[in-house]
Structure formats: C-alpha cells, structure tokens
Amino acid sequence: MKIKIFWQKNCPNCPKANHIGKQLEKEMTVQYFDVSTVDGLAEASYYNIVSTPSMAMVDNDENEIKIWRGKTPNLEEIREEAAI
C-alpha cells in the first residue's frame, strides 16, 4: 500500500498534507509529487488531480484504492481506508 501526496510550494494547505505523510512513513510507503515539476504533473494527470493538496492511496500494483482531491484527509481516515 502506498500514499501519493501531490503538493506545490505556494499551496497554503500542503504543509498539513506533507506532515500527515511524514507520520504515515512508518506504516506505509509515502511518495511526494511536486506538481510544479514535469514528473509531478505527469503523475497528477494520471490520477486526474488538478488541485493541491491531493492524496492517492494505491496498492502495490499501482491500482487506485481511494483518492482525496483538493483536500487533506485526517490520519484516522487514511488508516481506516488502509485497514491499519
């Protein structure tokens, strides 16, 4: 299970998403994508993400489990969805 966090520098709510990501790193793989980069934007496009912060939960084969677009879920919501 992985969490992909999509963020950008001038986003006022992105630090909260990144902080939650840091907390989750002990429990699952967390990847960070800066959407102001070509690679970050390409990954965001794949998941139809057009606003930050956004998070995508995927399984180990990159299959989408849940996506939170334009918002940051709380830690408990992520853990519940991941069943951890």
Side-chain angles (χ1 to χ4, degrees), residues 39-76:
D39 290 342
L41 189 56
E43 190 75 14
S45 295
Y46 180 79
Y47 293 101
N48 293 322
I49 290 172
V50 295
S51 60
T52 57
S54 290
M55 290 187 182
M57 180 182 291
V58 298
D59 65 18
N60 291 330
D61 295 322
E62 300 290 319
N63 297 310
E64 176 185 321
I65 295 170
K66 174 122 179 142
I67 295 184
W68 295 271
R69 290 180 179 91
K71 65 178 186 170
T72 302
N74 63 42
L75 204 50
E76 292 74 32

Side-chain angles (χ1 to χ4, degrees), residues 3-46:
I3 290 283
K4 298 182 178 203
I5 299 176
F6 300 90
W7 66 280
Q8 59 184 339
K9 288 179 188 159
N10 59 353
C11 164
N13 297 314
C14 288
K16 178 183 175 189
N18 289 336
H19 178 72
I20 286 175
K22 293 290 181 198
Q23 291 177 291
L24 288 169
E25 286 177 4
K26 299 173 188 135
E27 301 166 45
M28 65 180 70
T29 301
V30 179
Q31 297 175 307
Y32 301 88
F33 295 93
D34 181 348
V35 299
S36 64
T37 68
V38 172
D39 290 342
L41 189 56
E43 190 75 14
S45 295
Y46 180 79

